[in-house]
Amino acid sequence: MSSDQDLVVQTVREILTGHEPTQLTPDRRWGADLWSDLAEAGLTGVGLPEEAGGSGGELADAVAVVATLAAGAGAVPVAEQLLVAGPAVLAAGLALPDPSQPLTIAVSGAVQVDGSGLLTGTATDVAWAGVAHWLAVVAAGPDGDVLALVDVSGLDATDAANLAGEPRGSYVFDGVQAQVGPLADDVRARYALARAVQLSAAAETVLAWTGQYAGERVQFGRPLAKFQGIQMQLAEMAGEVTAVSALVDAAVQRLDRGEPLELAAAAAKVRAGAAVEVVARQAHQVHGAIGFTEEHRLHHLTKRMWSWRDEAGNELTWARVLGAAVAGDDPWAALTSAV
Protein backbone atom coordinates (compact mmCIF):
# COMPACT_ATOMS: atom_id res chain seq x y z
CA MET A 1 0.00 0.00 0.00
CA SER A 2 1.42 3.39 -1.02
CA SER A 3 1.73 6.39 1.27
CA ASP A 4 -1.23 8.00 -0.54
CA GLN A 5 -3.39 4.98 0.17
CA ASP A 6 -2.22 4.94 3.79
CA LEU A 7 -3.40 8.55 4.07
CA VAL A 8 -6.74 7.71 2.45
CA VAL A 9 -7.29 4.77 4.81
CA GLN A 10 -6.34 6.85 7.85
CA THR A 11 -8.74 9.62 6.80
CA VAL A 12 -11.63 7.21 6.32
CA ARG A 13 -10.92 5.55 9.68
CA GLU A 14 -10.89 8.92 11.43
CA ILE A 15 -14.27 9.76 9.89
CA LEU A 16 -15.64 6.36 10.87
CA THR A 17 -14.71 6.93 14.51
CA GLY A 18 -17.46 9.55 14.62
CA HIS A 19 -20.06 7.13 13.33
CA GLU A 20 -21.01 3.94 15.13
CA PRO A 21 -21.90 1.02 12.83
CA THR A 22 -25.39 1.88 11.66
CA GLN A 23 -28.19 -0.38 12.82
CA LEU A 24 -30.42 0.03 9.80
CA THR A 25 -34.16 0.23 10.24
CA PRO A 26 -37.07 1.33 8.00
CA ASP A 27 -36.69 4.77 9.57
CA ARG A 28 -32.90 4.87 9.27
CA ARG A 29 -32.02 3.39 5.92
CA TRP A 30 -28.41 4.48 5.52
CA GLY A 31 -25.58 6.45 7.05
CA ALA A 32 -26.56 9.89 5.74
CA ASP A 33 -24.30 11.71 8.19
CA LEU A 34 -21.37 9.45 7.32
CA TRP A 35 -21.93 10.13 3.62
CA SER A 36 -21.95 13.87 4.24
CA ASP A 37 -18.62 13.70 6.06
CA LEU A 38 -17.11 11.53 3.34
CA ALA A 39 -18.34 13.87 0.60
CA GLU A 40 -17.02 16.92 2.44
CA ALA A 41 -13.60 15.28 2.54
CA GLY A 42 -13.78 14.48 -1.18
CA LEU A 43 -13.80 10.74 -0.56
CA THR A 44 -16.96 10.07 -2.60
CA GLY A 45 -15.05 11.00 -5.74
CA VAL A 46 -11.78 9.12 -5.16
CA GLY A 47 -10.51 7.26 -8.21
CA LEU A 48 -12.69 9.31 -10.55
CA PRO A 49 -10.76 11.84 -12.69
CA GLU A 50 -10.67 15.45 -11.56
CA GLU A 51 -11.40 16.74 -15.06
CA ALA A 52 -14.70 14.83 -14.93
CA GLY A 53 -15.62 16.23 -11.52
CA GLY A 54 -14.11 13.51 -9.32
CA SER A 55 -11.40 13.81 -6.71
CA GLY A 56 -8.68 12.11 -8.76
CA GLY A 57 -6.43 9.34 -7.52
CA GLU A 58 -5.91 5.78 -8.64
CA LEU A 59 -8.05 2.67 -8.67
CA ALA A 60 -6.12 1.40 -5.66
CA ASP A 61 -7.15 4.51 -3.73
CA ALA A 62 -10.82 3.90 -4.50
CA VAL A 63 -10.46 0.25 -3.49
CA ALA A 64 -8.86 1.36 -0.22
CA VAL A 65 -11.82 3.65 0.53
CA VAL A 66 -14.33 0.90 -0.24
CA ALA A 67 -12.47 -1.72 1.79
CA THR A 68 -12.05 0.53 4.82
CA LEU A 69 -15.74 1.45 4.84
CA ALA A 70 -16.74 -2.19 4.44
CA ALA A 71 -14.54 -3.17 7.38
CA GLY A 72 -16.21 -0.43 9.43
CA ALA A 73 -19.75 -1.46 8.40
CA GLY A 74 -20.35 1.94 6.88
CA ALA A 75 -23.86 2.02 5.38
CA VAL A 76 -23.17 4.17 2.35
CA PRO A 77 -23.15 3.51 -1.44
CA VAL A 78 -19.44 4.14 -1.95
CA ALA A 79 -18.64 0.76 -3.53
CA GLU A 80 -21.35 1.25 -6.15
CA GLN A 81 -20.29 4.84 -6.90
CA LEU A 82 -16.50 4.53 -6.99
CA LEU A 83 -16.00 1.06 -8.48
CA VAL A 84 -19.04 0.44 -10.69
CA ALA A 85 -21.48 3.21 -11.58
CA GLY A 86 -19.01 6.09 -11.75
CA PRO A 87 -16.57 4.33 -14.11
CA ALA A 88 -19.50 3.01 -16.18
CA VAL A 89 -20.91 6.51 -16.63
CA LEU A 90 -17.54 7.82 -17.74
CA ALA A 91 -17.01 4.87 -20.09
CA ALA A 92 -20.38 5.67 -21.65
CA GLY A 93 -19.24 9.22 -22.35
CA LEU A 94 -21.86 10.72 -20.04
CA ALA A 95 -21.40 13.59 -17.60
CA LEU A 96 -20.45 12.37 -14.14
CA PRO A 97 -22.98 13.58 -11.55
CA ASP A 98 -21.78 15.58 -8.56
CA PRO A 99 -19.95 12.99 -6.39
CA SER A 100 -21.68 14.37 -3.31
CA GLN A 101 -24.97 13.03 -4.71
CA PRO A 102 -25.13 9.21 -4.28
CA LEU A 103 -24.90 7.29 -7.54
CA THR A 104 -25.73 3.60 -7.80
CA ILE A 105 -26.06 0.89 -10.45
CA ALA A 106 -28.84 -1.41 -11.65
CA VAL A 107 -28.06 -4.51 -13.71
CA SER A 108 -31.23 -6.52 -13.00
CA GLY A 109 -34.78 -6.25 -14.21
CA ALA A 110 -36.26 -5.37 -17.59
CA VAL A 111 -35.67 -1.78 -18.66
CA GLN A 112 -35.99 -0.47 -22.20
CA VAL A 113 -34.94 2.86 -23.68
CA ASP A 114 -36.21 4.29 -26.96
CA GLY A 115 -34.39 6.42 -29.46
CA SER A 116 -35.25 9.63 -27.62
CA GLY A 117 -33.90 8.41 -24.27
CA LEU A 118 -37.19 7.60 -22.56
CA LEU A 119 -37.05 4.71 -20.07
CA THR A 120 -39.79 2.17 -19.50
CA GLY A 121 -39.83 -1.02 -17.42
CA THR A 122 -38.56 -2.03 -13.98
CA ALA A 123 -35.09 -2.08 -12.46
CA THR A 124 -34.91 -4.59 -9.60
CA ASP A 125 -32.56 -5.33 -6.71
CA VAL A 126 -31.18 -1.80 -6.86
CA ALA A 127 -28.63 -1.20 -4.12
CA TRP A 128 -29.55 1.89 -2.09
CA ALA A 129 -32.85 2.39 -3.90
CA GLY A 130 -34.65 5.32 -2.31
CA VAL A 131 -31.30 6.68 -1.08
CA ALA A 132 -29.40 7.28 -4.32
CA HIS A 133 -29.83 10.52 -6.21
CA TRP A 134 -28.65 9.05 -9.52
CA LEU A 135 -29.04 5.63 -11.09
CA ALA A 136 -26.96 4.12 -13.88
CA VAL A 137 -29.11 1.35 -15.32
CA VAL A 138 -28.38 -1.29 -17.93
CA ALA A 139 -31.20 -0.98 -20.45
CA ALA A 140 -32.19 -2.56 -23.76
CA GLY A 141 -31.92 -0.03 -26.57
CA PRO A 142 -33.02 -0.21 -30.20
CA ASP A 143 -29.58 -1.56 -31.19
CA GLY A 144 -28.59 -3.51 -28.09
CA ASP A 145 -27.82 -2.92 -24.42
CA VAL A 146 -26.85 0.59 -23.35
CA LEU A 147 -26.19 2.47 -20.13
CA ALA A 148 -28.84 4.97 -19.12
CA LEU A 149 -28.24 7.60 -16.45
CA VAL A 150 -31.33 8.92 -14.72
CA ASP A 151 -32.11 11.25 -11.84
CA VAL A 152 -34.13 9.10 -9.42
CA SER A 153 -34.27 11.61 -6.58
CA GLY A 154 -37.92 12.30 -7.34
CA LEU A 155 -38.98 8.71 -8.06
CA ASP A 156 -40.57 6.29 -5.64
CA ALA A 157 -38.73 3.05 -4.88
CA THR A 158 -39.99 -0.06 -3.16
CA ASP A 159 -38.73 -0.37 0.41
CA ALA A 160 -37.16 -3.84 0.15
CA ALA A 161 -33.89 -4.47 1.98
CA ASN A 162 -31.25 -7.16 2.25
CA LEU A 163 -30.55 -9.18 5.40
CA ALA A 164 -28.42 -6.39 6.81
CA GLY A 165 -31.18 -3.81 6.24
CA GLU A 166 -29.47 -2.08 3.32
CA PRO A 167 -32.04 -0.81 0.77
CA ARG A 168 -32.44 -3.11 -2.21
CA GLY A 169 -35.64 -1.90 -3.85
CA SER A 170 -37.00 -1.47 -7.37
CA TYR A 171 -37.81 1.45 -9.63
CA VAL A 172 -40.61 1.48 -12.20
CA PHE A 173 -40.03 3.74 -15.20
CA ASP A 174 -42.85 5.00 -17.40
CA GLY A 175 -41.35 7.37 -19.91
CA VAL A 176 -38.61 8.81 -17.68
CA GLN A 177 -36.01 10.86 -19.54
CA ALA A 178 -32.43 9.57 -19.29
CA GLN A 179 -29.00 10.25 -20.71
CA VAL A 180 -27.85 7.28 -22.79
CA GLY A 181 -24.45 6.00 -23.82
CA PRO A 182 -22.68 2.79 -24.81
CA LEU A 183 -22.46 0.04 -22.18
CA ALA A 184 -18.98 -1.02 -21.08
CA ASP A 185 -18.59 -4.78 -21.29
CA ASP A 186 -17.18 -5.12 -17.79
CA VAL A 187 -20.00 -3.51 -15.75
CA ARG A 188 -21.27 -6.76 -14.22
CA ALA A 189 -17.72 -7.96 -13.53
CA ARG A 190 -16.90 -4.67 -11.83
CA TYR A 191 -20.02 -5.04 -9.68
CA ALA A 192 -18.96 -8.54 -8.65
CA LEU A 193 -15.45 -7.34 -7.87
CA ALA A 194 -16.80 -4.47 -5.77
CA ARG A 195 -18.73 -6.92 -3.62
CA ALA A 196 -15.66 -9.19 -3.42
CA VAL A 197 -13.56 -6.25 -2.19
CA GLN A 198 -16.14 -5.59 0.52
CA LEU A 199 -16.31 -9.25 1.51
CA SER A 200 -12.54 -9.54 1.69
CA ALA A 201 -12.23 -6.49 3.94
CA ALA A 202 -15.08 -7.60 6.18
CA ALA A 203 -13.71 -11.14 6.52
CA GLU A 204 -10.27 -9.82 7.41
CA THR A 205 -11.77 -7.62 10.11
CA VAL A 206 -13.90 -10.43 11.52
CA LEU A 207 -10.77 -12.60 11.75
CA ALA A 208 -8.89 -9.85 13.59
CA TRP A 209 -11.74 -9.32 16.06
CA THR A 210 -12.03 -13.05 16.66
CA GLY A 211 -8.33 -13.46 17.30
CA GLN A 212 -8.37 -10.53 19.70
CA TYR A 213 -11.38 -11.90 21.56
CA ALA A 214 -9.83 -15.36 21.82
CA GLY A 215 -6.72 -13.81 23.34
CA GLU A 216 -8.65 -11.78 25.92
CA ARG A 217 -11.52 -14.09 26.93
CA VAL A 218 -10.51 -16.42 29.75
CA GLN A 219 -12.17 -19.77 30.39
CA PHE A 220 -11.04 -22.45 32.84
CA GLY A 221 -8.13 -20.27 33.87
CA ARG A 222 -6.60 -19.56 30.47
CA PRO A 223 -7.38 -17.55 27.32
CA LEU A 224 -9.54 -19.20 24.68
CA ALA A 225 -6.65 -18.95 22.22
CA LYS A 226 -4.72 -21.49 24.31
CA PHE A 227 -7.25 -24.23 23.49
CA GLN A 228 -6.30 -26.35 20.50
CA GLY A 229 -9.85 -26.41 19.15
CA ILE A 230 -9.99 -22.62 19.09
CA GLN A 231 -6.59 -22.47 17.42
CA MET A 232 -7.87 -24.75 14.67
CA GLN A 233 -10.89 -22.52 14.13
CA LEU A 234 -8.71 -19.43 13.87
CA ALA A 235 -6.37 -21.20 11.46
CA GLU A 236 -9.26 -22.22 9.23
CA MET A 237 -10.55 -18.64 9.19
CA ALA A 238 -7.08 -17.31 8.36
CA GLY A 239 -6.78 -19.69 5.43
CA GLU A 240 -10.08 -18.52 3.99
CA VAL A 241 -9.24 -14.84 4.43
CA THR A 242 -5.83 -15.26 2.79
CA ALA A 243 -7.28 -17.07 -0.22
CA VAL A 244 -9.95 -14.41 -0.73
CA SER A 245 -7.48 -11.56 -0.36
CA ALA A 246 -5.12 -13.08 -2.95
CA LEU A 247 -7.83 -13.44 -5.59
CA VAL A 248 -9.33 -10.03 -4.93
CA ASP A 249 -5.91 -8.37 -5.19
CA ALA A 250 -5.21 -10.23 -8.45
CA ALA A 251 -8.53 -9.07 -9.92
CA VAL A 252 -7.96 -5.45 -8.87
CA GLN A 253 -4.49 -5.50 -10.42
CA ARG A 254 -5.90 -6.93 -13.65
CA LEU A 255 -8.49 -4.16 -13.76
CA ASP A 256 -5.82 -1.56 -13.05
CA ARG A 257 -3.76 -2.84 -15.99
CA GLY A 258 -6.77 -2.59 -18.28
CA GLU A 259 -6.88 -6.34 -18.91
CA PRO A 260 -10.08 -8.38 -19.36
CA LEU A 261 -11.72 -8.59 -15.95
CA GLU A 262 -14.57 -11.08 -16.16
CA LEU A 263 -12.79 -14.31 -15.20
CA ALA A 264 -10.67 -12.73 -12.48
CA ALA A 265 -13.72 -11.04 -10.98
CA ALA A 266 -15.63 -14.32 -11.21
CA ALA A 267 -12.90 -16.19 -9.35
CA ALA A 268 -12.72 -13.51 -6.66
CA LYS A 269 -16.49 -13.40 -6.15
CA VAL A 270 -16.83 -17.20 -6.02
CA ARG A 271 -14.02 -17.55 -3.49
CA ALA A 272 -15.21 -14.64 -1.37
CA GLY A 273 -18.75 -15.99 -1.29
CA ALA A 274 -17.59 -19.46 -0.30
CA ALA A 275 -15.53 -18.03 2.56
CA VAL A 276 -18.49 -16.28 4.15
CA GLU A 277 -19.95 -19.43 5.67
CA VAL A 278 -16.67 -20.55 7.24
CA VAL A 279 -15.58 -17.15 8.53
CA ALA A 280 -18.97 -16.13 9.93
CA ARG A 281 -19.65 -19.53 11.53
CA GLN A 282 -16.27 -19.82 13.20
CA ALA A 283 -16.31 -16.21 14.40
CA HIS A 284 -19.69 -16.59 16.07
CA GLN A 285 -18.71 -19.91 17.62
CA VAL A 286 -15.60 -18.39 19.17
CA HIS A 287 -17.45 -15.30 20.39
CA GLY A 288 -20.37 -17.29 21.74
CA ALA A 289 -23.82 -15.73 22.09
CA ILE A 290 -22.49 -12.21 22.61
CA GLY A 291 -21.63 -11.92 18.91
CA PHE A 292 -25.28 -12.33 17.90
CA THR A 293 -26.54 -9.35 19.88
CA GLU A 294 -27.39 -6.16 18.01
CA GLU A 295 -25.06 -4.20 20.25
CA HIS A 296 -22.01 -6.24 19.23
CA ARG A 297 -19.92 -5.17 16.25
CA LEU A 298 -19.68 -8.73 14.93
CA HIS A 299 -23.43 -8.67 14.35
CA HIS A 300 -23.14 -5.79 11.88
CA LEU A 301 -20.40 -7.25 9.74
CA THR A 302 -21.52 -10.86 9.47
CA LYS A 303 -25.03 -9.86 8.38
CA ARG A 304 -23.54 -7.68 5.67
CA MET A 305 -21.28 -10.55 4.58
CA TRP A 306 -24.25 -12.90 4.21
CA SER A 307 -26.05 -10.21 2.18
CA TRP A 308 -23.16 -9.25 -0.09
CA ARG A 309 -22.52 -12.93 -0.84
CA ASP A 310 -25.73 -13.16 -2.87
CA GLU A 311 -25.45 -9.78 -4.59
CA ALA A 312 -23.92 -8.96 -8.00
CA GLY A 313 -24.16 -12.68 -8.83
CA ASN A 314 -23.74 -15.48 -6.31
CA GLU A 315 -21.23 -18.34 -6.43
CA LEU A 316 -23.38 -20.39 -8.84
CA THR A 317 -23.70 -17.51 -11.28
CA TRP A 318 -20.00 -16.81 -11.48
CA ALA A 319 -18.94 -20.48 -11.26
CA ARG A 320 -20.91 -21.05 -14.46
CA VAL A 321 -18.94 -18.24 -16.11
CA LEU A 322 -15.68 -19.85 -15.02
CA GLY A 323 -16.86 -23.32 -16.06
CA ALA A 324 -17.88 -22.17 -19.52
CA ALA A 325 -14.49 -20.53 -20.03
CA VAL A 326 -12.50 -23.54 -18.85
CA ALA A 327 -14.59 -25.84 -21.04
CA GLY A 328 -13.95 -23.62 -24.06
CA ASP A 329 -11.32 -23.78 -26.76
CA ASP A 330 -8.43 -22.51 -24.64
CA PRO A 331 -8.75 -23.71 -21.03
CA TRP A 332 -5.17 -22.70 -20.17
CA ALA A 333 -5.83 -19.10 -21.17
CA ALA A 334 -9.02 -19.17 -19.14
CA LEU A 335 -7.23 -20.44 -16.04
CA THR A 336 -4.42 -17.93 -16.27
CA SER A 337 -6.94 -15.12 -16.78
CA ALA A 338 -8.80 -16.05 -13.61
CA VAL A 339 -5.90 -15.78 -11.16
Side-chain angles (χ1 to χ4, degrees):
M1 186 176 290
S2 71
S3 58
D4 288 344
Q5 288 150 31
D6 287 337
L7 180 60
V8 166
V9 169
Q10 182 61 31
T11 302
V12 175
R13 285 176 176 169
E14 289 176 356
I15 292 175
L16 277 170
T17 58
H19 302 272
E20 292 293 325
T22 306
Q23 181 60 33
L24 299 174
T25 67
D27 295 327
R28 191 183 184 191
R29 307 181 64 202
W30 71 306
D33 294 340
L34 173 59
W35 177 270
S36 295
D37 288 349
L38 293 168
E40 185 176 354
L43 293 167
T44 56
V46 171
L48 302 174
E50 291 182 83
E51 58 271 25
S55 301
E58 302 175 352
L59 172 65
D61 301 324
V63 169
V65 172
V66 171
T68 306
L69 286 167
V76 288
V78 168
E80 291 80 1
Q81 178 156 311
L82 298 189
L83 300 184
V84 194
V89 167
L90 294 174
L94 304 177
L96 183 71
D98 183 341
S100 68
Q101 299 175 342
L103 166 67
T104 190
I105 186 81
V107 300
S108 303
V111 180
Q112 299 81 39
V113 58
D114 65 16
S116 58
L118 295 178
L119 290 183
T120 57
T122 304
T124 60
D125 299 323
V126 180
W128 309 103
V131 167
H133 190 117
W134 296 92
L135 174 67
V137 56
V138 176
D143 302 316
D145 285 348
V146 296
L147 188 80
L149 177 64
V150 58
D151 182 344
V152 292
S153 60
L155 299 182
D156 291 331
T158 60
D159 59 358
N162 64 16
L163 179 65
E166 296 172 331
R168 296 295 187 263
S170 301
Y171 287 101
V172 177
F173 303 108
D174 184 13
V176 176
Q177 185 66 53
Q179 306 171 54
V180 179
L183 177 67
D185 58 8
D186 64 352
V187 169
R188 289 181 173 82
R190 276 180 170 270
Y191 199 5
L193 178 58
R195 287 289 181 264
V197 168
Q198 293 176 292
L199 285 168
S200 177
E204 187 174 346
T205 301
V206 168
L207 171 63
W209 288 347
T210 306
Q212 179 184 5
Y213 182 82
E216 295 173 349
R217 177 69 171 173
V218 175
Q219 286 288 330
F220 306 108
R222 54 180 175 163
L224 290 177
K226 294 294 184 182
F227 291 88
Q228 188 175 33
I230 299 296
Q231 293 171 356
M232 292 176 65
Q233 289 178 298
L234 293 172
E236 187 177 9
M237 291 175 66
E240 294 292 321
V241 169
T242 301
V244 173
S245 178
L247 286 176
V248 168
D249 288 347
V252 169
Q253 291 172 17
R254 180 171 285 273
L255 176 61
D256 198 31
R257 295 194 296 266
E259 299 174 356
L261 177 65
E262 184 178 51
L263 296 183
K269 186 62 165 60
V270 168
R271 195 66 190 84
V276 168
E277 181 178 354
V278 175
V279 173
R281 182 183 68 241
Q282 303 289 32
H284 279 289
Q285 287 184 351
V286 173
H287 278 81
I290 189 65
F292 288 91
T293 61
E294 290 190 355
E295 293 78 9
H296 200 280
R297 57 187 182 180
L298 187 63
H299 171 95
H300 297 284
L301 267 194
T302 51
K303 283 208 305 189
R304 282 169 168 79
M305 290 171 65
W306 281 110
S307 301
W308 296 337
R309 177 186 189 180
D310 288 332
E311 296 178 354
N314 59 18
E315 290 109 284
L316 178 60
T317 299
W318 288 107
R320 283 174 170 165
V321 172
L322 288 172
V326 172
D329 296 334
D330 193 348
W332 178 253
L335 286 171
T336 55
S337 296
V339 295

